[in-house]
Amino acid sequence: MIKQTIAFLGAGSMAEAMISGMVESGNIPAQQIIVTNRQNQDRLNEIQNKYGVRTVLKDDLNYSEVDQFILAMKPKDIDAVLEDLKYKITPNQVLVSVLAGISTSYMEERLNDKQQVIRVMPNTSSMLRESATAICPGQYTQMDNVIVAKELLQSIGKVFVIDEENMDVFTGIAGSGPAYFYYLMENIEETGNAEGMDRETLREIGAQTLLGAAKMMLERDESPTELRENVTSPNGTTAAGLEALHQSGGGEAISDAIKGAASRSKEMSKELEGLLVGSK
Ligand SMILES: NC(=O)C1=CN([C@@H]2O[C@H](COP(=O)(O)OP(=O)(O)OC[C@H]3O[C@@H](n4cnc5c(N)ncnc54)[C@H](O)[C@@H]3O)[C@@H](O)[C@H]2O)C=CC1
Ligand SMILES: O=C(O)[C@@H]1CCC=N1
């Protein structure tokens, strides 16, 4: 059971997905989770009623009782938040950021000397405790705090400790990834519906097909290539489907999506530093 007190700064969709998973896991008592935002009291009431966590507007937060702050606002708000936190926190406290594109050094440079920070990239499947989450600590972060953060994040799915240089591509794969699969599902639904099937059934069929494939990947010791080949009979339907996918640039499209998201992640902190034109 996690003994530290956690405060979310930001109560949007990512924060809610994490809060839901954490509370559901039972690994941390709901009363040890404090959720804040700047001014939307209705949103805080909603979160408190749903999950039984404590909520407070950020200006009323007792900063000294918090062990780990989870930064969950939009990247554009990071400078104001760090400037504010600098005067309110001590080196014993840890900042865990889920913000896309914001590096540990970006945060360290704007905080007090040797502040402990951790960069994390979860995804919205945290809601059901099925996130694929990356974690990379800053240079001053104590190992015992990394372990607690990891334990906390394990309550919302699988955790991968990775080098920071891979954080952008991880974001392109797993942080943004759920959206690619939802997009795929939207197109499955559209196509099946145009052929006369009803959308509700199609949604279930698409999801079950994706779930089955994901489970095969996780539970069988076979590569995606082997699994794909097992579906593909010579001159059969799958071969025809894959050929059409190939002709339409399917593989390239997936690769471009990941590269596009990763490159946007890289760009974001540069934008904030004013190194790119048309920033913020
Ligand atoms: N939505 C997603 O799938 C994922 C989002 N992220 C990251 O999570 C962060 C939040 O994303 P969303 O939840 O989608 O955004 P959102 O716009 O839904 O939520 C942002 C929240 O931050 C609050 N906020 C802004 N400034 C604040 C401050 N100074 N103190 C306290 N609260 C403050 C806002 O009131 C709002 O509640 C982003 O930085 C994003 O990069 C990371 C992984 C996945
Ligand atoms: O779209 C975004 O910027 C955020 C980060 C990863 C997923 N959503």
Side-chain angles (χ1 to χ4, degrees):
M1 187 62 100
I2 291 163
K3 295 204 171 66
Q4 293 196 351
T5 297
I6 311 295
F8 279 85
L9 304 186
S13 53
M14 193 57 237
E16 180 169 2
M18 294 176 80
I19 294 159
S20 167
M22 284 174 187
V23 170
E24 174 75 19
S25 77
N27 291 348
I28 178 167
Q31 285 295 300
Q32 272 165 236
I33 300 176
I34 307 169
V35 184
T36 77
N37 65 15
R38 282 173 299 189
Q39 54 200 15
N40 189 344
Q41 187 63 55
D42 289 345
R43 172 68 175 157
L44 292 183
N45 293 344
E46 182 194 340
I47 297 260
Q48 183 165 351
N49 291 338
K50 262 181 165 167
Y51 305 107
V53 294
R54 290 155 66 194
T55 58
V56 65
L57 291 175
K58 94 169 168 61
D59 288 337
D60 299 325
L61 177 65
N62 173 10
Y63 285 78
S64 64
E65 74 165 311
V66 179
D67 298 297
Q68 303 215 8
F69 294 89
I70 301 190
L71 308 188
M73 69 291 304
K74 291 286 190 204
K76 69 174 176 52
D77 293 316
I78 186 69
D79 285 356
V81 170
L82 296 178
E83 180 60 21
D84 187 40
L85 282 172
K86 191 171 174 175
Y87 303 101
K88 293 183 171 157
I89 60 172
T90 67
N92 294 334
Q93 293 168 302
V94 185
L95 292 191
V96 177
S97 160
V98 306
L99 279 59
I102 305 298
S103 65
T104 55
S105 60
Y106 187 95
M107 292 186 278
E108 284 163 355
E109 282 160 18
R110 286 159 181 77
L111 291 162
N112 293 313
D113 201 21
K114 306 214 164 126
Q115 187 66 55
Q116 300 182 70
V117 303
I118 301 178
R119 180 177 174 188
V120 157
M121 181 47 58
N123 67 33
T124 45
S125 307
S126 302
M127 176 82 66
L128 297 179
R129 308 182 56 216
E130 293 290 359
S131 177
T133 305
I135 174 169
C136 71
Q139 56 184 316
Y140 309 115
T141 311
Q142 290 158 15
M143 193 40 77
D144 52 344
N145 285 323
V146 177
I147 291 169
V148 174
K150 198 174 162 201
E151 259 174 47
L152 189 65
L153 294 166
Q154 275 166 340
S155 67
I156 55 167
K158 283 193 185 155
V159 177
F160 304 86
V161 181
I162 68 170
D163 291 337
E164 186 149 15
E165 62 191 24
N166 294 325
M167 208 53 161
D168 298 309
V169 72
F170 182 95
T171 301
I173 294 169
S176 302
Y180 312 152
F181 291 108
Y182 297 136
Y183 182 67
L184 179 70
M185 290 299 163
E186 286 176 74
N187 281 283
I188 286 175
E189 203 175 304
E190 213 48 59
T191 308
N193 187 247
E195 294 295 323
M197 289 183 72
D198 78 277
R199 287 184 182 276
E200 216 171 304
T201 315
L202 280 164
R203 200 164 288 188
E204 205 177 337
I205 294 168
Q208 178 59 37
T209 306
L210 183 62
L211 178 73
K215 280 193 159 176
M216 289 290 279
M217 290 279 302
L218 289 171
E219 292 174 22
R220 308 230 0 138
D221 193 17
E222 286 169 289
S223 70
T225 305
E226 285 170 310
L227 291 167
R228 173 174 56 73
E229 281 171 358
N230 288 343
V231 189
T232 314
S233 311
N235 203 23
T237 60
T238 316
L242 286 171
E243 176 57 20
L245 199 56
H246 179 70
Q247 289 298 332
S248 308
E252 215 174 12
I254 293 164
S255 170
D256 284 352
I258 295 169
K259 287 184 198 156
S263 135
R264 178 67 190 132
S265 171
K266 275 202 186 78
E267 204 175 73
M268 278 157 81
S269 65
K270 287 201 191 117
E271 251 182 29
L272 284 168
E273 284 176 301
L275 298 176
L276 289 180
V277 188
S279 62
K280 294 200 183 177

